């Protein structure tokens, strides 16, 4: 591949070549969180941690990596950066941790590709599995149902469904904004909060 050096209104510059284009679409992915660079372990070009078949880091069997941060080679193919891969690796890592605690051997992770879906505006989507291909309105309904059923907790399902319904009816999207500068820590001051228990350390809120 060739590194893209510049993108402007007239196209892109890649190495010594300029490619003229009125529209530029970036589809090369993103780098993993910078946290991985502080671990001192093997990383790939995207900054993902190279892990073994049990989802642990080689030489550090007590440390597991899942989801977008994991670089796992399965029969010559890399684990995709998809939600279903993150969910499967998370569940599998928990099972291997439990097995280690109980003194049982760990199992090898096998990715189950359930297919891919994408929504394309209102009432349109595409869906593809190993045996099924859908487009249009039916695929859009399937996309809605699968996403709602995959959410954790009834409250989350209702909240997301309400937001989608609002967006569908009024063509407006809601947004949750963090406006407070010190958003990562929310110390509780017992003096200002009646009935509050003393807090020895701030509680981290990860977004």
């Amino acid at each position: 591949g060739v590194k893209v050096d510049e993108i402007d209104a007239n196209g892109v510059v890649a190495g010594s070549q300029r490619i003229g284009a009125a529209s530029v679409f970036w589809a090369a992915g993103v780098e993993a969180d910078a946290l991985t660079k502080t671990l001192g372990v093997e990383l790939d070009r995207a900054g993902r941690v190279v892990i073994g078949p049990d989802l642990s880091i080689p030489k550090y069997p007590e440390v597991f990596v899942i989801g977008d941060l994991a670089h796992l080679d399965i029969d010559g193919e890399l684990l995709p950066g998809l939600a279903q891969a993150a969910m499967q690796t998370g569940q599998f890592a928990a099972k291997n941790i439990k097995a280690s605690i109980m003194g049982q051997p760990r199992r090898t992770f096998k990715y189950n590709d359930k297919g891919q879906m994408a929504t394309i505006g209102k009432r349109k989507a595409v869906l593809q599995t190993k045996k099924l291909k859908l487009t249009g309105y039916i695929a859009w309904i399937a996309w809605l149902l699968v996403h709602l059923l995959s959410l954790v907790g009834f409250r989350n399902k209702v909240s997301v469904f309400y937001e989608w319904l609002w967006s569908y009816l009024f063509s407006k999207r809601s947004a949750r904004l963090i406006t407070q500068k010190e958003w990562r820590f929310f110390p509780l001051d017992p003096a200002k909060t009646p009935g509050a228990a003393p807090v020895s350390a701030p509680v981290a809120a990860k977004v």
Side-chain angles (χ1 to χ4, degrees):
V2 179
K3 179 182 178 182
V4 175
D5 299 310
E6 184 180 349
I7 300 177
D8 55 34
N10 299 317
V12 301
V13 176
S16 59
Q17 181 183 11
R18 166 171 282 278
I19 304 174
S23 300
V24 179
F25 299 90
W26 180 262
V30 295
E31 286 191 352
D33 192 279
L35 172 67
T36 61
K37 298 179 181 179
T38 67
L39 301 179
V41 297
E42 183 181 0
L43 307 177
D44 64 7
R45 291 198 313 168
R48 295 173 297 189
V49 179
V50 178
I51 59 175
D54 64 348
L55 305 185
S56 68
I57 302 177
K59 300 182 180 180
Y60 298 94
E62 72 281 3
V63 181
F64 293 80
V65 182
I66 62 174
D68 293 345
L69 293 185
H71 173 110
L72 179 61
D73 190 316
I74 305 176
D75 299 328
E77 295 186 5
L78 292 181
L79 183 71
L82 302 174
Q84 58 176 314
M87 295 172 65
Q88 291 181 35
T89 53
Q91 294 171 353
F92 194 86
K95 293 179 180 178
N96 270 346
I97 292 173
K98 183 178 179 180
S100 296
I101 294 175
M102 300 180 65
Q104 299 175 353
R106 295 179 180 179
R107 299 172 57 190
T108 297
F109 176 77
K110 293 182 179 180
Y111 176 60
N112 178 24
D113 187 358
K114 298 180 180 180
Q116 300 186 41
M117 297 184 299
T119 178
I120 311 172
K122 277 189 176 183
R123 299 183 296 275
K124 293 182 180 180
V126 290
L127 180 153
Q128 179 176 350
T129 65
K130 295 179 180 179
K131 299 181 179 180
L132 180 65
K133 291 184 179 180
L134 296 176
T135 60
Y137 182 74
I138 296 179
W140 184 71
I141 293 295
W143 181 88
L144 293 175
L145 293 176
V146 169
H147 276 73
L148 285 176
L149 293 175
S150 298
L151 293 175
V152 178
F154 178 76
R155 182 177 180 180
N156 287 334
K157 290 180 172 64
V158 173
S159 175
V160 170
F161 177 76
Y162 172 78
E163 290 183 4
W164 285 354
L165 182 62
W166 177 270
S167 176
Y168 179 80
L169 294 177
F170 301 102
S171 298
K172 295 181 179 180
R173 292 181 177 270
S174 61
R176 297 179 182 179
L177 303 179
I178 299 173
T179 58
Q180 185 178 352
K181 293 182 179 180
E182 300 297 329
W183 59 270
R184 287 188 177 276
F185 295 97
F186 299 91
L188 184 63
D189 188 352
K192 298 181 181 180
T193 307
V199 178
S200 57
V203 179
K206 184 177 180 182
V207 177

